[in-house]
Amino acid sequence: MTQLFRTAARVALLSGGLLVGAVSTGLAQLGVARPVGRQTVDAIIVKLDNQIVLRSDLENIYQQELSRAEGKPLPPNVKCQILESIVLNKLMLAKAEVDSVVVEDDQVRGELDRRMAYFVQQIGSEQKLEEYYKKPIKQLKDDLRPQVKEQLIQQKMQEEIAGKVTVTPREVKQFFNRIPKDSLPYYSTEVEVGQIIKFAQVNQKAKQETQAKLNEIRARIIAGEDFEKLAKEFSQDPGSAAQGGYLGFFKRRELVPEYEAAALRLEPGQLSPIVESQFGFHLIQLIERKGETFSTRHILLKPATGTSDVSEAAVQLSKIRKRILADSITFAKAAKDFSDDKNTSGNGGLIQNPQDRSNYLPLDKIDPAIFFTIDTMKVGSITPPMPYRTDDGKDAMRILWLKSNNPPHQANLQDDYQKIAAAALNEKKNKALDEWFKKNRGDVYIEVDPQYADCKLLNAVN
C-alpha cells in the first residue's frame, strides 16, 4: 500500500511517464542507444499481434526503478508489474490502430523538442549531448520520433480509458484509513517554491552587429565562396554547423514559421535575405523540394546579451514584485502572465519535483542556489530580483517565492491531503485500466516467453 504513495508509480509507467511525463533519472531515458563496444544479445519476450516486447524494454525500466529506489529494496514482483504495464501499453497501441486513434505531428514535434531540451539541460549543452551519443541533434530526434509517437498514442488511449476517473474526499479518507499505521511514509522537510524569470533582452545594437556580420557572410557566398565551408566556420547552430548547415528534409509546419516561410519562397540553390526567428538570425539556402517536404541548409548567428539587458529584466521583476506585495496580483497570476520560464509559468510559477511531478521539493535534494536563498526566508516572502543563468546558458533575472515550508512528519490527511488524494486517484485509475485490459485482452493474440510465465496477469491472458 505504501508504494501507492509514489504518484509516479503504475499510472505514470502505463502512460510512458518514465519517458514522457517524468523524465528524471538520467540520459538512459532518452530512449536512444549510446554506442558501446559490446552489445548484450536481446530477445523477444512477449508478442501481442504485431507488437513485441524485448527483454531490453523490461530491463531498462527496471534499472530506472532501481535508480529511483536509491538503495531501498524493490518489491519481489516488480519485474512482473513492469512487464504487465508494458503489455498493457502494447494492447493500447493495438486497439488504437483498430480504432484509428492518432496524434498530430505538431504534438509529436513539441514533445520531441521538450524532451531534447530536458536532456540538453541535464548534460550541459547540445554539443555535449551530440558528443555523448555521437549523433547530431536532428538524428537523435529522428531516432526518438517513433517511440515518442507511440507513447503519446498510449497516453491518449489511457486518457480515454481512465481520464474521467475522479475521487471524492470520502474515498481519499477511506484509502488513507486502509493503510496500516506502521506503513505510513515519513516525509523529510519539504518546501514549495515559486519563481518568475525574465530573460535578458537582446539590445538593438547587438542585433544590428549580428545582422551586419551575417550580411558580410552573405556577400561572400554571392561572390563565390562555399556556403558549407562558411557554415562550418561561423554558424552557431551546433546541430547543423558540422554538416555545413545542412538540416535535412522537413514537412510543412515542422520548422519555425519564419524559417519555413522564407525557405519556401526560394528556388533550389537560391539564397535568402536575413531571417529572424526565436533562435537568432538565419541565412537560408534551399537545396531541394520533394513532394510535401523540402531540405535546406542555414547559417545561424545569435546576438549576444549584455549586463544592461539583465538590468532591464531586473526592473521589470521589481515592478512585478511590488504589485504582488501590494496584493494587486497573485504570484500565480503574475507567473502565468509575465514569466519567461515555460516550465513553471503554467504551474503558477511553482517548481515541480521531477521525481513525482508534485510541487513539494525535499529540502535535502533541492538546487543549492535555491536552498541557500530560501534558508533564511519566511513563508510568504519574495526575494528581490537575483541574477540567474538558465540551464541552456541564457542570462536572466528571477524572483523566488517561498510558498510553504513543511517540517519532517509522518503522512497525515491534514498536511498531505494532495499526495494522499493523488495516490487514491492512481489506485482508482489502475483499477479502471485493469478492467479495460481484462475486457479487451481476448481481442488480440498474446504469446509470453515461458521464463515469465509466473507473472500473474500474463498467466491470466493465456
Side-chain angles (χ1 to χ4, degrees):
M1 183 69 74
T2 304
Q3 187 182 10
L4 291 170
F5 267 86
R6 297 174 58 199
T7 57
R10 188 164 176 231
V11 169
L13 177 62
L14 297 178
S15 67
L18 294 175
L19 291 164
V20 178
V23 280
S24 60
T25 62
L27 292 165
Q29 288 183 309
L30 186 53
V32 179
R34 183 188 182 197
V36 293
R38 186 174 181 179
Q39 300 286 346
T40 303
V41 176
D42 212 341
I44 296 173
I45 57 177
V46 179
K47 295 178 181 178
L48 191 148
D49 276 2
N50 60 343
Q51 303 286 335
I52 62 170
V53 179
L54 299 174
R55 181 181 290 118
S56 58
D57 297 333
L58 173 61
E59 291 299 327
N60 286 342
I61 297 178
Y62 177 70
Q63 291 302 319
Q64 291 170 24
E65 287 296 292
L66 280 177
S67 176
R68 279 192 178 87
E70 298 179 337
K72 297 177 183 177
L74 292 173
N77 64 336
V78 68
K79 281 196 175 182
C80 277
Q81 293 176 351
I82 293 171
L83 188 55
E84 290 162 9
S85 297
I86 295 173
V87 171
L88 175 54
N89 278 342
K90 297 297 184 181
L91 178 58
M92 286 192 284
L93 284 174
K95 290 292 290 182
E97 187 174 345
V98 172
D99 298 342
S100 300
V101 175
V102 297
V103 293
E104 299 297 328
D105 289 342
D106 286 350
Q107 188 180 358
V108 177
R109 185 170 63 253
E111 175 57 30
L112 276 169
D113 291 343
R114 186 197 69 81
R115 192 180 306 187
M116 203 60 60
Y118 175 83
F119 286 104
V120 167
Q121 169 188 326
Q122 271 206 333
I123 202 168
S125 69
E126 288 187 357
Q127 183 177 353
K128 289 180 180 178
L129 188 65
E130 291 177 331
E131 289 173 353
Y132 184 87
Y133 282 103
K134 295 181 171 52
K135 295 179 181 180
I137 292 291
K138 183 183 182 302
Q139 188 175 344
L140 287 173
K141 286 185 176 181
D142 288 344
D143 291 345
L144 197 55
R145 185 171 278 105
Q147 177 183 327
V148 167
K149 187 172 184 178
E150 282 193 357
Q151 291 170 349
L152 290 175
I153 290 173
Q154 290 164 0
Q155 281 187 323
K156 193 169 183 178
M157 286 293 293
Q158 181 175 312
E159 185 65 22
E160 291 184 6
I161 298 164
K164 294 181 180 179
V165 173
T166 60
V167 288
T168 65
R170 181 181 179 183
E171 289 174 318
V172 174
K173 186 175 181 179
Q174 290 173 340
F175 171 84
F176 180 77
N177 289 336
R178 293 202 311 270
I179 304 172
K181 299 304 179 187
D182 59 356
S183 297
L184 288 172
Y186 189 83
Y187 297 122
S188 60
T189 301
E190 295 177 319
V191 293
E192 289 181 286
V193 180
Q195 65 180 11
I196 298 176
I197 295 174
K198 296 299 293 183
F199 296 146
Q201 297 300 308
V202 178
N203 60 38
Q204 197 59 36
K205 181 180 178 182
K207 283 188 175 184
Q208 290 171 352
E209 290 174 350
T210 303
Q211 288 175 300
K213 183 176 180 179
L214 200 53
N215 268 323
E216 290 177 6
I217 295 171
R218 187 176 190 274
R220 289 171 64 177
I221 295 170
I222 292 173
E225 291 194 51
D226 184 63
F227 188 111
E228 295 181 50
K229 181 180 178 181
L230 292 173
K232 291 178 181 178
E233 182 178 353
F234 294 108
S235 182
Q236 294 175 306
D237 175 12
S240 68
Q243 286 74 46
Y246 181 67
L247 288 179
F249 281 91
F250 284 89
K251 297 177 182 178
R252 289 178 182 270
R253 297 187 298 280
E254 286 191 336
L255 297 173
V256 290
E258 303 89 347
Y259 188 102
E260 179 182 292
L264 292 177
R265 283 195 292 266
L266 301 173
E267 295 297 327
Q270 191 176 1
L271 201 60
S272 75
I274 293 174
V275 178
E276 184 178 6
S277 78
Q278 66 194 71
F279 301 105
F281 292 94
H282 309 259
L283 193 59
I284 306 168
Q285 186 178 54
L286 180 66
I287 301 173
E288 182 182 2
R289 295 176 190 264
K290 187 181 294 184
E292 293 297 311
T293 64
F294 61 97
S295 65
T296 58
R297 60 173 62 96
H298 78 141
I299 297 172
L300 172 70
L301 296 185
K302 304 175 182 180
T305 56
T307 53
S308 60
D309 306 313
V310 177
S311 299
E312 176 57 31
V315 170
Q316 294 179 49
L317 284 174
S318 293
K319 292 178 180 178
I320 294 169
R321 179 176 183 267
K322 187 175 180 179
R323 289 184 60 188
I324 298 170
L325 294 175
D327 290 330
S328 66
I329 190 173
T330 65
F331 191 96
K333 182 73 164 59
K336 181 180 179 181
D337 291 349
F338 304 116
S339 182
D340 291 334
D341 180 29
K342 294 180 181 178
N343 292 324
T344 58
S345 59
N347 192 39
L350 293 174
I351 302 170
Q352 286 191 328
N353 182 338
Q355 292 294 330
D356 60 12
R357 313 308 293 173
S358 74
N359 297 329
Y360 295 94
L361 309 172
L363 200 60
D364 58 346
K365 296 182 180 179
I366 203 169
D367 179 351
I370 295 177
F371 174 84
F372 289 111
T373 300
I374 67 171
D375 189 39
T376 56
M377 289 175 62
K378 293 181 179 180
V379 171
S381 58
I382 303 172
T383 67
M386 302 181 298
Y388 175 64
R389 176 160 293 208
T390 65
D391 293 311
D392 58 357
K394 292 181 181 177
D395 291 323
M397 299 290 288
R398 71 175 172 181
I399 56 176
L400 293 176
W401 170 46
L402 181 59
K403 181 181 179 182
S404 70
N405 188 332
N406 304 306
H409 65 281
Q410 196 168 41
N412 63 81
L413 277 171
Q414 181 177 342
D415 298 323
D416 307 296
Y417 182 85
Q418 286 184 329
K419 294 177 183 176
I420 297 166
L425 180 61
N426 276 353
E427 182 185 61
K428 197 170 179 180
K429 285 187 173 183
N430 286 337
K431 288 180 180 177
L433 289 166
D434 286 341
E435 289 300 318
W436 182 89
F437 185 86
K438 291 174 184 176
K439 181 180 178 181
N440 291 276
R441 67 191 181 198
D443 295 344
V444 296
Y445 167 78
I446 302 178
E447 180 183 339
V448 183
D449 188 297
Q451 181 181 352
Y452 301 93
D454 289 339
C455 291
K456 184 177 179 181
L457 181 58
L458 296 180
N459 278 343
V461 302
N462 284 297

